[in-house]
Amino acid sequence: MISVVTRLTGRFETVRGIVGELARVGCVIKAQTFLLFLRIYWRGEMYGMVLEAFDEMGRFGFTPNTFARNIVMDVLFKIGRVDLGIKVLKETQLPNFLSFNIALCNLCKLNDVSNVKDVIGMMVRKGFYPNVRMFEILLNCFCKMGRIAEAYQLLGLMITLGTSLSVNAWTVLIDGFRRLRRLDMAGYLWEKMVQNGCSPNVVTYTSLIKGFMEAKMFSIAFSFLDMLESEGHAPDLVFHNVLIDCLSKMGSYDDALDVYDGLLELKLVPDCRKYGKIILVDIPDF
């Protein structure tokens, strides 16, 4: 359908031109006609045509429904018109869960914390709540921007709603405190995570090990490394790169080379830049 509508657009240039031709050959123009155009242009990422179809829908006397407004709102966010996207959301008479989901996903990608908080408030007032995946996206946004207070408020909402924290949600919180060098809180959250029956994964341990190694708290870092190995996790390339980087910075070049060589045994593709860093860092000046 996208290719068909693209050819029609190329021939008649505008949505009005296409609709006019459809009417000329006897097609009845209905609201569903414009909804179909909106869906096709949206999926084809033809954002200018989406906005044109939306405008033409109104000119033909049809009132865009929530589905149509959701599409236009998504397009406005994607082309950087956040102000208009928020305006469309606020003016939607019957927003649904998808309305808020679209807004929050786009705002998180833009790291627009202020509007994220406003939309969460609007969402809750309308009787909707984020699902587990959206909670993870929101937590990641707040932690990435160093907004730990907001992350904790969101955590409180999750607990109030009885939403179980996934391993991803715990890990996002732990990594957020690691970024802020609050390793006491990162360690505390790891303890609470385990107490609540949620098993840390490689990503969780990677963040903890990186944080404690960078803080030169090597004994704690290596205790987490022991736990990772004893629990049977398979370290990934990211973990190995972090470990190589940390060992190099602490001057343990032989250990860093051993970790690098171990990548080949695990059939992981080594990062040549990491190898070069290990080799060059210990070359004496002449």
Side-chain angles (χ1 to χ4, degrees), residues 90-264:
K90 289 180 176 178
E91 293 178 354
T92 300
Q93 293 184 353
L94 297 171
N96 53 25
F97 173 80
L98 187 59
S99 306
F100 297 106
N101 204 64
I102 288 171
L104 290 173
C105 282
N106 279 290
L107 291 170
C108 284
K109 289 179 182 177
L110 296 170
N111 296 323
D112 191 341
V113 173
S114 178
N115 276 318
V116 165
K117 292 169 61 179
D118 289 343
V119 172
I120 292 174
M122 292 168 55
M123 185 179 194
V124 172
R125 287 193 294 273
K126 288 290 186 178
F128 297 101
Y129 299 95
N131 57 18
V132 173
R133 178 56 185 149
M134 179 49 62
F135 271 125
E136 292 174 0
I137 292 172
L138 292 169
L139 283 171
N140 185 60
C141 175
F142 287 141
C143 290
K144 184 171 62 176
M145 299 302 293
R147 306 294 285 269
I148 299 300
E150 285 86 348
Y152 252 61
Q153 290 174 352
L154 194 65
L155 182 60
L157 177 60
M158 294 176 71
I159 293 171
T160 301
L161 295 173
T163 304
S164 298
L165 267 71
S166 65
V167 61
N168 290 337
W170 282 110
T171 300
V172 164
L173 284 169
I174 288 170
D175 192 61
F177 279 104
R178 191 271 306 173
R179 290 171 183 267
L180 293 175
R181 305 182 194 278
R182 289 291 308 280
L183 299 179
D184 55 333
M185 283 301 301
Y188 170 76
L189 286 170
W190 172 80
E191 291 178 0
K192 298 298 291 184
M193 179 182 187
V194 174
Q195 289 172 9
N196 280 275
C198 187
S199 300
N201 59 16
V202 173
V203 181
T204 315
Y205 282 119
T206 299
S207 178
L208 288 164
I209 292 168
K210 178 179 176 64
F212 283 103
M213 277 196 162
E214 287 178 341
K216 302 188 185 306
M217 301 169 72
F218 302 122
S219 60
I220 299 177
F222 284 116
S223 69
F224 281 119
L225 181 58
D226 290 340
M227 289 179 207
L228 181 145
E229 294 175 344
S230 65
E231 291 173 14
H233 295 292
D236 57 11
L237 183 60
V238 174
F239 170 82
H240 282 89
N241 283 337
V242 167
L243 195 56
I244 290 170
D245 189 59
C246 290
L247 289 170
S248 299
K249 287 178 178 177
M250 61 185 282
S252 299
Y253 306 120
D254 290 338
D255 291 332
L257 283 170
D258 288 341
V259 173
Y260 184 89
D261 291 338
L263 286 170
L264 301 176

Side-chain angles (χ1 to χ4, degrees), residues 61-73:
F62 300 115
T63 301
N65 60 10
T66 301
F67 172 78
R69 298 182 70 84
N70 285 349
I71 288 178
V72 168
M73 178 175 57

